[in-house]
Amino acid sequence: MVSYEEFCGGVSKIRERIGLAASKCGLNPENVKILPVTKNHSEKAVEYAFKSGFSSVGENRVMEALDKMGMLDLPVNWELIGHLQSNKAKFCAKFFRVQSVDSAKLLEKLDKAAESGGVEIRILLQINSGRDPAKFGADIEDAPALAEAALKCSHLKLDGLMTIAPLVDDKTAARRAFAKLREIRDGLEESFKIKLPELSMGMSGDIEDAVMEGSTMVRVGTALFGERVYA
């Protein structure tokens, strides 16, 4: 993994990219948060993020994140950005905001886990706005029904939407997917008379497209921590 100084340099480069993209469309770069993605990195990645002022980190796997929590005593928020199997929902009640909610079944499991734990779980709905068959996420057409189901869960707090851009050769595909997610969000806000402030979209390779389409959170791993080591 990179040194702390290299990590800080990577943060500066990401912030510069966000600033340049925001300036092109008259947006405020301060409205775009960076989520350091610490998955498949050691607990030092979380320490780097916290030391440099980040309040949240992103993880893909519940058990990996729980292991890191056991090694650390840091007041950081943990964002689950990877696909969550419904049988792992019980582990999320006290520890995560879950960005990858993509089914009514998972909503039900999370709501029950939150009720049992006496907590409220904050969530994002993951929508496959790029229609990529290789990606998780609810279909675009199912977004209204999924949002309605989420709003009926008394122990869940719906913060917004998340997507992952298609991994294809078409250089315009990511921006179209991000624009579609924003359009879906706007439609849900109008239909349900609610605010969905979080649009989690954009990673290292498509930050500019995400920012220009209104992302409020870009999820960045390799550009900050270096190449991952997979077990």
Side-chain angles (χ1 to χ4, degrees):
M1 196 173 72
V2 300
S3 68
Y4 179 67
E5 290 72 22
E6 290 171 318
F7 167 77
C8 291
V11 171
S12 295
K13 290 177 182 177
I14 296 299
R15 285 184 172 144
E16 182 178 0
R17 289 174 62 185
I18 291 171
L20 289 172
S23 69
K24 289 181 179 179
C25 46
L27 297 175
N28 184 355
E30 297 298 320
N31 293 334
V32 185
K33 299 180 290 291
I34 299 170
L35 180 68
V37 176
T38 52
K39 69 173 185 177
N40 292 109
H41 291 293
S42 74
E43 70 277 7
K44 284 189 176 296
V46 183
E47 292 175 340
Y48 284 4
F50 179 74
K51 182 178 178 180
S52 62
F54 289 100
S55 60
S56 301
V57 296
E59 287 282 338
N60 264 37
R61 298 174 183 171
V62 170
M63 304 316 293
E64 179 186 345
L66 292 176
D67 285 344
K68 290 174 184 173
M69 290 178 200
M71 299 176 198
L72 300 167
D73 183 21
L74 297 175
V76 297
N77 301 312
W78 299 80
E79 304 257 354
L80 190 67
I81 60 175
H83 179 65
L84 177 61
Q85 295 176 326
S86 58
N87 63 357
K88 294 281 190 359
K90 60 185 177 183
F91 297 109
C92 295
K94 296 182 180 179
F95 302 108
F96 302 96
R97 180 169 77 159
V98 183
Q99 295 200 18
S100 50
V101 179
D102 59 2
S103 70
K105 179 181 178 182
L106 184 53
L107 282 170
E108 180 182 356
K109 293 286 188 179
L110 287 169
D111 195 42
K112 288 181 178 179
E115 182 178 15
S116 297
V119 297
E120 179 181 73
I121 300 178
R122 295 168 59 211
I123 64 168
L124 305 183
L125 301 181
Q126 182 176 356
I127 308 299
N128 189 357
S129 59
R131 299 187 186 276
D132 184 346
K135 295 287 189 295
F136 289 106
D139 291 340
I140 292 170
E141 294 79 10
D142 294 335
L146 191 61
E148 184 175 14
L151 293 170
K152 290 179 179 178
C153 293
S154 57
H155 297 87
L156 304 182
K157 173 66 169 64
L158 179 57
D159 287 343
L161 308 180
M162 183 268 263
T163 198
I164 302 172
L167 186 61
V168 294
D169 292 333
D170 184 352
K171 295 183 182 300
T172 67
R175 186 154 185 182
R176 291 201 306 272
F178 299 146
K180 174 56 71 172
L181 192 73
R182 176 171 45 79
E183 178 185 314
I184 294 168
R185 188 276 307 275
D186 293 348
L188 294 176
E189 288 188 333
E190 175 64 25
S191 296
F192 295 104
K193 307 304 178 187
I194 57 173
K195 287 294 183 183
L196 298 172
E198 196 82 278
L199 279 181
S200 175
M201 54 189 194
M203 298 188 290
S204 296
D206 49 35
I207 285 173
E208 289 79 5
D209 287 332
V211 170
M212 288 189 285
E213 292 300 338
S215 175
T216 63
M217 174 178 283
V218 293
R219 310 179 301 272
V220 186
T222 302
L224 297 181
F225 298 110
E227 294 297 326
R228 297 184 177 94
V229 177
Y230 292 92

